[in-house]
Amino acid sequence: MELDRLHLRGFSIGGASVSDKHANFIQASEQATAADVHAVMEHVRSRVADETGYVLHSEVRLVGFTDAVGQ
């Protein structure tokens, strides 16, 4: 899996992180903000695109954010 090759499993910003168990999930602590979750998603998407050329798309629709992560 690309997230493992790029050492993104466990990557975190604020209270949000890429799951150590299932790298395709973002976990959020009670202290996490929506911005933390969004920032983790954007960082992962950007790193994968830069390193592999693959563009990841979210399975969920993000409301209130203007970039392409949730599109």
Side-chain angles (χ1 to χ4, degrees), residues 10-31:
F11 172 81
S12 65
I13 295 175
S17 63
V18 177
S19 174
D20 285 326
K21 188 172 184 180
H22 299 289
N24 58 327
F25 286 92
I26 305 299
Q27 296 177 310
S29 71
E30 290 183 17
Q31 295 77 30

Side-chain angles (χ1 to χ4, degrees), residues 2-44:
E2 296 301 327
L3 297 181
D4 288 327
R5 186 175 69 76
L6 297 174
H7 307 288
L8 290 169
R9 194 178 289 254
F11 172 81
S12 65
I13 295 175
S17 63
V18 177
S19 174
D20 285 326
K21 188 172 184 180
H22 299 289
N24 58 327
F25 286 92
I26 305 299
Q27 296 177 310
S29 71
E30 290 183 17
Q31 295 77 30
T33 65
D36 294 341
V37 173
H38 182 259
V40 168
M41 292 172 69
E42 177 59 24
H43 177 80
V44 168

Side-chain angles (χ1 to χ4, degrees), residues 3 7 13 37 48-49 52 54 69 71:
L3 297 181
H7 307 288
I13 295 175
V37 173
V48 170
T52 70
Y54 295 117
V69 171
Q71 308 307 316

